[in-house]
Amino acid sequence: MAASGMGRWVCGGALGALLTACNAAPEVKSASAPVAQAPATPAANSPEALLAQMSLERKVAQIIQPDIGSITPADVREYRFGTILNGGNSGPYGNDKAPAADWLKLADEYWEASTAPLPNGEPAIPALWATDAVHGHANVPGATVFPHNIALGATFDPDLIRRIGAATAVEIEVTGLDWTFAPTVAVARDARWGRTYESYSENPKLVTRYGAAMIEGLQGRVDEPGFLGQGKVAATAKHYFGDGGTAQGVDQGDVNGDLAELMAIHARPYPAAINAGVASVMASFNSINGSKMHGSKPLLTHELRGNLGFKGVVVGDWNGHGQVKGCTNSNCPESLLAGLDVYMVPEDWKALHASLVAQVQDGTIPMARLDEAVLRVLRMKQALGILDGEVKPSARVNGGKWNLLGSPEHRALAREAVAKSQVILKNAGALPLKAGARIEVAGSAADNIPQQAGGWSVTWQGGGDLTAADFPGATSIWGGIAAAAKAAGGEAVLAPKGSSASKPDIAIVVFGEQPYAEFVGDRKDLAFRDEEGLALLKAYKARGVPTVAVFLSGRPLWVNRELNAADAFVAAWLPGSEGAGVADVLFGTVQPTGRLSFNWPGTCEGGPENHRRNALFGQGYGLRYDTPPPPLFPPDETCAALTNDAGATWFANGRLGAQVQAVADNALLPDLRGNGNGIVVTGVDRKAQEDARRITFGPGAKISLTGPDSGAAWRISYQVVNRPAGPVTVTAGGKPFDITQGLSVAEGKGWREMVLTPACLGSTGGKLTFSSQAPFAFQISEITRDEAAAKTECSF
């Protein structure tokens, strides 16, 4: 991102020395590796010189990171934020599917706003833009979407991971951005966790090796020319630490145990990341023995800074500081005092800025601590070269080179990664597919690029209303199979629901998890419940057609029923945009080398100890074509959880229940998000990022949820900011019930609970409909069914 001929360079030559001024006395040696000396920054542009010229208000702005969805270039010009981010659902100009050119255009606008001369002579310092490029620059349509980390872990190939990091950095640069919140170096010990696919392995040794390789790819190697130069971006090791070790796999939960033992597992990847010169470390949402990481000075300062020797920037996670005891999103001196350098505060940036300024003025926050954090931010900018004559993003070497975004070379690399990550769990002679075979490809996931890409793909949660058109240049698994079959002299037919009239030589059934991200993907057990794939496998078996199961998932799951029904079973993970890599292994074009970096469960109960004790396949398992499969798999009946699904949750943690749909008249609203027929549903934060919804009604609009039919009552957590301007009713099979008065009383009173029973609805079947005669909006965070409340009165 430096101008041609300028390059990027580091004061003193290493990111590990970012906290040390160019002309300061040496500090205690960190874990960072030494690198060659670089030319000294001109004194006027050194971080220390810039800091000395900054007002208190400008200093505070350097440590505040707002989201592009809540700020304009005019806000950047006024406040001069040090860094900016785009959240998973934030795209340029309010469009989370914005084309790549819009990303670069907005990057220029932010750069111009942050570098505009200040009237009082203060230095105008460029802002950094950070993004979650966790498997390629996947927020941007047309970018290469690499397999998620769980798949890369199955390749056992750190050089491949390093090359993927390098390709990702180039594509980030094309759109004008500076910094990625990657890699995730979590050691996921409980696959019920919704972020398991962001982890390379449950083995800390593997995570350490692969995380360092990704950092080297993104930033370059600290001891080689070009470190953080052209074609490179700042990386982030996240989330420090313990994110993969929470009790019951609950995202943002608590990690308990002896600190030294916890660090030996969950902090193990960080020394290697620091030695690789990682620019930043992100604090984790979770607690360690009850203490939130965003407020823990012993862990952020004493351990990370002191014992591990990290000298770069510690950035917070999405409003993570607001979870610290005594804090809110807009008021939290505790985090800065604990060791946080940058507050990620997507929406409440203005109030946080005011509170931090006041707290420095009244002595709550020492000026020395603020200066320390600001210097770390400035030194990261210095390392990236933007303090020394940097030009706007579109004028940089790779800026706007659209041929590099999703380039053939990058797509070939992604296809290589897909092929190397395929793990054959079972093969009773079905693989490789025979030349000239007549193949039927079934399953709704077969020709579904959004599903194979998973979460963090164009949108935060992925899937939903995304289509293949949102992934230009991508190839579905079906597309790859069809091309490979033709090349082998055979033919392939797509029959998503199977075809009872045909008798192919073999059938490939593609099925798996729907996309999710973060806490939305948390599970109570490891049972795979969707029976679409199972039904297809059994139907083909009954007709005497051999089958190959291709399973898409972000974690190992209990799939004994499918394993027993299929002749071959391939764990394909979340392969991303290059589905042809799956076909490469199915047809034998590429020999299978993928191996499990996680234990595969033999029972459906969750928990790390159960997962390891009752593993069906251990770490390192993966068949070759000629390897005999295990003789038997445990019987299908070993999962009691399958018979204990009550269907009680209709909406929670930002996701609809498994059997629940939301529609606005005939417009489907996946995961209760989207718009249609006068209804607009958007994500809002209650306890976590977008765990709730704002439902906005146009005149006469209505929204319905359908799910399992029962006589249970509904419990709905809701909030009304402004009372209805006209009648609002709810219906559940009986006559409409007017709830206008109850919603009016709830105005401005925060989150409340609504209980709807037969006493007011007349019936509580399997459909719930809200209608509003006038424009109105309210928020909901949870909808559940409660049999015990069915005989009570309705309440608001």
Side-chain angles (χ1 to χ4, degrees):
M1 296 164 62
S4 178
M6 293 172 60
R8 283 178 166 168
W9 49 271
V10 184
C11 173
L15 263 185
L18 277 176
L19 288 187
T20 306
C22 291
N23 56 355
E27 297 184 16
V28 176
K29 182 177 176 62
S30 76
S32 300
V35 297
Q37 294 293 314
T41 304
N45 287 343
S46 72
E48 295 71 27
L50 294 174
L51 181 70
Q53 302 173 64
M54 296 171 68
S55 66
L56 170 60
E57 289 76 13
R58 299 287 186 247
K59 289 179 181 179
V60 169
Q62 285 294 311
I63 68 168
I64 287 181
Q65 185 177 78
D67 184 84
I68 65 170
S70 68
I71 58 164
T72 64
D75 294 322
V76 174
R77 180 183 290 263
E78 178 180 355
Y79 282 85
R80 305 301 171 109
F81 301 113
T83 66
I84 301 162
L85 87 146
N86 64 276
N89 280 334
S90 296
Y93 312 111
N95 180 10
D96 59 2
K97 300 179 183 179
D102 283 358
W103 290 76
L104 184 59
K105 180 175 181 288
L106 186 58
D108 274 353
E109 291 172 2
Y110 283 144
W111 186 90
E112 290 166 350
S114 64
T115 57
L118 287 160
N120 58 1
E122 283 190 72
I125 302 169
L128 296 179
W129 182 344
T131 191
D132 285 279
V134 297
H135 65 139
H137 196 22
N139 282 317
V140 180
T144 309
V145 183
F146 291 96
H148 270 294
N149 285 353
I150 192 169
L152 299 185
T155 69
F156 284 76
D157 189 342
D159 180 67
L160 172 68
I161 294 169
R162 189 177 295 107
R163 288 184 284 137
I164 288 171
T168 299
V170 168
E171 297 202 13
I172 293 171
E173 275 203 327
V174 168
T175 60
L177 279 62
D178 313 271
W179 182 10
T180 178
F181 295 139
T184 300
V185 290
V187 182
R189 305 288 276 187
D190 191 329
R192 293 176 295 180
W193 184 39
R195 305 190 77 159
T196 297
Y197 65 73
E198 295 186 52
S199 174
Y200 295 108
S201 176
E202 64 183 284
N203 184 332
K205 293 181 181 179
L206 296 180
V207 175
T208 298
R209 188 180 312 152
Y210 302 155
M214 179 61 76
I215 291 165
E216 290 175 344
L218 291 164
Q219 298 189 161
R221 283 177 157 152
V222 293
D223 54 354
E224 294 180 359
F227 178 62
L228 283 177
Q230 296 170 9
K232 300 300 178 184
V233 297
T236 308
K238 67 180 189 182
H239 308 82
Y240 176 83
F241 71 91
D243 47 349
T246 59
Q248 300 183 56
V250 174
D251 191 42
Q252 305 183 23
D254 199 13
V255 183
N256 299 294
D258 176 77
L259 180 60
E261 293 177 0
L262 293 176
M263 292 195 72
I265 296 172
H266 298 288
R268 181 164 180 165
Y270 287 90
I274 294 167
N275 279 331
V278 70
S280 62
V281 167
M282 183 178 288
S284 189
F285 278 123
N286 61 266
S287 304
I288 301 291
N289 294 321
S291 176
K292 280 289 183 182
M293 184 63 73
H294 279 69
S296 176
K297 187 171 184 177
L299 298 178
L300 289 181
T301 298
H302 300 158
E303 290 292 343
L304 181 59
R305 299 289 187 194
N307 292 336
L308 298 184
F310 180 60
K311 293 189 174 185
V313 170
V314 175
V315 60
D317 208 336
W318 188 280
N319 284 331
H321 59 278
Q323 297 184 16
V324 176
K325 185 177 181 180
C327 288
T328 65
N329 293 346
S330 59
N331 189 330
C332 191
E334 289 88 341
S335 284
L336 186 61
L337 295 173
L340 198 74
D341 297 316
V342 173
Y343 290 84
M344 187 187 293
V345 54
E347 297 176 343
D348 298 303
W349 51 268
K350 187 175 291 186
L352 180 63
H353 183 273
S355 67
L356 288 172
V357 168
Q359 286 152 1
V360 175
Q361 289 173 332
D362 69 18
T364 301
I365 298 173
M367 180 65 79
R369 174 65 192 106
L370 174 63
D371 286 351
E372 182 180 51
V374 175
L375 276 173
R376 288 170 180 156
V377 174
L378 295 178
R379 286 172 183 151
M380 183 164 73
K381 295 180 180 185
Q382 180 188 50
L384 289 166
I386 70 170
L387 299 185
D388 188 29
E390 181 78 332
V391 295
K392 66 181 180 180
S394 63
R396 299 170 188 169
V397 172
N398 289 326
K401 287 190 175 179
W402 307 121
N403 61 307
L404 297 176
L405 190 73
S407 69
E409 294 79 10
H410 292 172
R411 292 190 183 278
L413 176 61
R415 181 171 177 173
E416 176 188 348
V418 174
K420 287 184 174 180
S421 69
Q422 303 300 290
V423 180
I424 300 177
L425 300 183
K426 176 183 179 181
N427 184 24
L431 294 176
L433 299 172
K434 294 179 173 59
R438 293 176 297 113
I439 304 166
E440 189 163 288
V441 182
S444 59
D447 195 24
N448 192 327
I449 294 171
Q451 187 171 351
Q452 72 188 45
W456 289 108
S457 301
V458 180
T459 62
W460 176 40
Q461 292 296 318
D465 64 349
L466 296 175
T467 68
D470 297 310
F471 298 84
T475 303
S476 70
I477 293 172
W478 151 249
I481 292 171
K486 183 178 180 180
E491 63 176 2
V493 175
L494 179 64
K497 297 182 179 180
S499 174
S500 58
S502 65
K503 185 67 183 291
D505 296 324
I506 195 164
I508 301 172
V509 180
V510 189
F511 63 101
E513 289 190 291
Q514 294 297 318
Y516 54 82
E518 300 191 34
F519 55 85
V520 175
D522 286 356
R523 303 173 59 105
K524 294 182 178 179
D525 56 57
L526 296 178
F528 179 67
R529 287 171 168 77
D530 188 331
E531 296 188 351
E532 177 209 18
L534 178 63
L536 287 167
L537 290 168
K538 287 183 174 180
Y540 283 117
K541 187 173 185 178
R543 290 160 48 201
V545 177
T547 55
V548 176
V550 175
F551 184 53
L552 302 178
S553 73
R555 58 188 133 206
L557 289 168
W558 183 85
V559 287
N560 288 17
R561 298 179 299 172
E562 292 82 0
L563 277 163
N564 287 327
D567 294 287
F569 191 104
V570 180
W573 312 111
L574 300 171
S577 61
E578 307 312 305
V582 177
D584 288 339
V585 171
L586 298 182
F587 283 83
T589 306
V590 175
Q591 293 293 308
T593 58
R595 295 181 287 140
L596 294 177
S597 61
F598 286 83
N599 290 311
W600 195 279
T603 61
C604 64
E605 294 81 7
E609 293 308 316
N610 179 69
H611 188 44
R612 283 180 277 279
R613 183 174 59 250
N614 296 313
L616 184 62
F617 308 114
Q619 291 180 44
Y621 176 88
L623 300 178
R624 305 299 176 257
Y625 293 134
D626 56 355
T627 307
L632 290 173
F633 296 106
D636 297 348
E637 296 77 18
T638 57
C639 183
L642 291 176
T643 62
N644 294 332
D645 291 334
T649 300
W650 278 43
F651 177 78
N653 296 324
R655 196 176 184 98
L656 290 170
Q659 303 175 64
V660 181
Q661 285 190 330
V663 295
D665 281 343
N666 294 320
L668 188 65
L669 302 173
D671 273 335
L672 197 53
R673 187 193 297 275
N675 60 80
N677 300 314
I679 292 290
V680 178
V681 186
T682 55
V684 295
D685 298 355
R686 184 186 179 188
K687 298 178 180 178
Q689 183 180 354
E690 297 192 12
D691 62 339
R693 296 289 184 269
R694 178 186 293 111
I695 303 175
T696 303
F697 297 79
K702 64 181 179 180
I703 184 171
S704 300
L705 284 81
T706 59
D709 192 350
S710 75
W714 271 282
R715 289 188 179 274
I716 303 173
S717 296
Y718 73 104
Q719 177 173 242
V720 177
V721 177
N722 296 302
R723 66 180 56 204
V728 180
T729 61
V730 61
T731 309
K735 63 180 181 179
F737 174 61
D738 194 316
I739 58 174
T740 312
Q741 179 62 27
L743 295 176
S744 298
V745 171
E747 180 187 28
K749 295 181 180 177
W751 288 95
R752 298 163 65 90
E753 184 176 71
M754 179 190 311
V755 180
L756 301 173
T757 73
C760 61
L761 296 178
S763 171
T764 54
K767 185 175 182 180
L768 186 69
T769 301
F770 288 93
S771 303
S772 179
Q773 294 303 308
F776 172 62
F778 76 126
Q779 299 175 18
I780 64 168
S781 65
E782 190 171 87
I783 303 175
T784 58
R785 304 300 299 269
D786 185 348
E787 293 184 3
K791 297 182 179 180
T792 65
E793 296 297 316
C794 294
S795 63
F796 294 88

